[in-house]
Amino acid sequence: DQAYFRIVADDGYKVPMEEILAKVDANRIKKNLATVSVARHHKDEKGRKNLVMIRSLIENTFQDAGYKTRRQIVPFGGWTGENILGRKAGLTNERSNYVVMADFDSVESREMSIVNSNGIVGVLEVMSVLGEYQFKKTLLGAGFDLIYPDHMGANFIIWKDGGMPKDEQIEAGFFLDGIASDTYRSADLPDEYKPKMSADWVRKDFDGTFMMAFVNNRSVSLLDNFRKQAALYSPETRLADRVVSRYGEEAYQSQAGAHAPFWYRDLKAIYVTTWMAIRHLKPNRKWSYPEAALKMSSIKTMSETIKTVIASVVEEAEILHCDIFEAPLKDDSEMRAAVK
């Protein structure tokens, strides 16, 4: 392979977070949500056909935002899935990766396919906004296939060839799933969470934007940063959080996501959700998939959650305001001229 040298000229300018977050686009979120909210599973021809379309959407979104994309084949149980990965190399610490991730296939249930559609839409929005900037560390957008059984796509990126290169390290994962509810009902909170949750979340119901974040004890620094960014940039959004020990065995539903394989590999990861996932609204069977998704999902909650994730990733991956110059190492004349 051709060797290159790189000059990164950082002027030290701190890009205002408000400027970055202003680029979150509610109309783009709505458009992607309507597109993704279709039957997309491996069990029949229609679902498999839609999966082909969804994979292309994710891949094209990553490419349009400036990420280098690739697919990782995920064979399991007679099905063949494909993870979609979009990478922007860090400029000073390329081997350190921050992964923004969600599952994109679904079960056969119409409602559940809407529930987890908003997670991958959140990833698309986060990566679209961050694609305009440069970072010290590497950003990796990940859409995972084969959610069942046991989040095979996420397992493959960690444990299998074709996932993470052996000389690179995952610093942290941000898993988005069910980020679109604005109606909290305490009765829906799993009993296993209640002993360590505040009374307001255990006993009260409310309407309005809210977020939940779950980490294990290895990932507490991610939660500390998430709390900080939520307070700064989404102060009107309620936040509930919970730290579970080890791999989340004490609260087994905290393992219900693509972050769980990260925990089991002793990698940091945070699970961001609204738990209820969609509004407490009885769906009308006459609604089309996209219509149901838009009626049952709070775009405001999605936007506020996405903003907090963006701010957290910016803080972790360290944004740069810089110019970049690259040239083949065999010819240093341009480098010498640039240094002068």
Side-chain angles (χ1 to χ4, degrees):
D1 293 340
Q2 174 65 60
Y4 283 78
F5 67 84
R6 175 191 294 156
I7 297 174
V8 178
D10 179 12
D11 64 7
Y13 174 72
K14 185 174 177 60
V15 181
M17 190 70 75
E18 293 83 359
E19 175 186 313
I20 301 170
L21 301 183
K23 295 180 180 180
V24 173
D25 187 337
N27 289 326
R28 182 167 56 199
I29 293 171
K30 289 180 183 178
K31 180 180 178 182
N32 284 334
L33 186 61
T35 302
V36 172
S37 297
V38 294
R40 52 189 198 289
H41 51 78
H42 291 265
K43 294 187 177 181
D44 63 33
E45 185 177 351
K46 181 178 180 181
R48 290 190 291 270
K49 182 178 179 180
N50 285 335
L51 279 173
V52 173
M53 179 269 292
I54 299 300
R55 293 184 192 114
S56 294
L57 171 67
I58 299 168
E59 188 171 58
N60 291 338
T61 300
F62 287 166
Q63 288 175 346
D64 290 347
Y67 298 91
K68 184 177 180 179
T69 63
R70 62 186 176 92
R71 298 191 178 201
Q72 180 192 16
I73 302 301
V74 184
F76 191 84
W79 296 322
T80 301
E82 293 182 86
N83 288 339
I84 310 298
L85 308 173
R87 183 178 187 270
K88 170 169 277 193
L91 295 180
T92 63
N93 194 353
E94 184 175 347
R95 294 181 179 179
S96 294
N97 289 260
Y98 287 84
V99 186
V100 184
M101 57 192 180
D103 299 298
F104 65 78
D105 68 325
S106 71
V107 295
E108 293 172 275
S109 161
R110 187 169 186 259
E111 283 70 37
M112 288 305 295
S113 70
I114 294 171
V115 165
N116 83 323
S117 65
N118 51 60
I120 190 62
V121 169
V123 169
L124 295 181
E125 188 62 22
V126 170
M127 302 309 286
S128 292
V129 171
L130 295 182
E132 299 184 30
Y133 301 96
Q134 301 295 336
F135 293 86
K136 290 184 178 181
K137 300 164 188 175
T138 293
L139 300 186
L140 184 68
F144 294 136
D145 209 340
L146 287 178
I147 184 173
Y148 292 104
D150 298 327
H151 300 276
M152 277 298 115
N155 276 285
F156 266 63
I157 194 177
I158 293 172
W159 298 102
K160 298 292 185 178
D161 291 340
M164 291 301 301
K166 289 181 171 58
D167 63 343
E168 295 197 9
Q169 170 68 27
I170 294 176
E171 298 295 339
F174 296 79
F175 174 59
L176 281 60
D177 185 52
I179 58 169
S181 181
D182 59 4
T183 51
Y184 177 80
R185 300 295 178 260
S186 58
D188 293 332
L189 187 69
D191 289 339
E192 66 204 64
Y193 286 148
K194 293 179 180 179
K196 294 186 179 181
M197 301 286 281
S198 71
D200 282 350
W201 291 87
V202 172
R203 299 172 188 159
K204 296 181 180 180
D205 300 340
F206 60 82
D207 296 335
T209 57
F210 69 98
M211 298 180 288
M212 291 180 161
F214 300 96
V215 298
N216 67 350
N217 46 17
R218 179 179 288 272
S219 311
V220 170
S221 63
L222 293 179
L223 179 58
D224 290 342
N225 184 33
F226 194 82
R227 287 170 176 161
K228 172 186 170 184
Q229 305 308 328
L232 286 172
Y233 303 110
S234 190
E236 296 181 5
T237 300
R238 302 187 194 206
L239 173 62
D241 54 61
R242 169 79 190 272
V243 179
V244 298
S245 60
R246 288 171 46 83
Y247 311 121
E249 301 97 327
E250 69 196 49
Y252 73 95
Q253 291 194 62
S254 70
Q255 300 176 325
H259 60 290
F262 285 62
W263 289 356
Y264 276 97
R265 188 65 184 267
D266 292 328
L267 299 171
K268 293 181 182 179
I270 184 169
Y271 171 24
V272 181
T273 185
T274 56
W275 195 262
M276 288 77 237
I278 52 179
R279 290 170 165 161
H280 275 258
L281 176 67
K282 189 174 182 179
N284 186 326
R285 302 304 300 183
K286 294 181 180 179
W287 293 343
S288 67
Y289 260 99
E291 184 181 11
L294 293 173
K295 286 181 180 292
M296 298 177 72
S297 303
S298 167
I299 302 301
K300 181 173 175 55
T301 297
M302 290 184 68
S303 297
E304 294 303 314
T305 304
I306 288 165
K307 288 177 182 178
T308 305
V309 172
I310 288 172
S312 298
V313 174
V314 167
E315 183 83 4
E316 297 281 350
E318 299 183 76
I319 196 169
L320 288 170
H321 189 266
C322 60
D323 286 326
I324 306 166
F325 177 81
E326 288 185 334
L329 190 59
K330 65 181 181 180
D331 180 4
D332 66 355
S333 59
E334 292 181 87
M335 181 180 70
R336 293 177 182 277
V339 171
K340 289 181 181 179

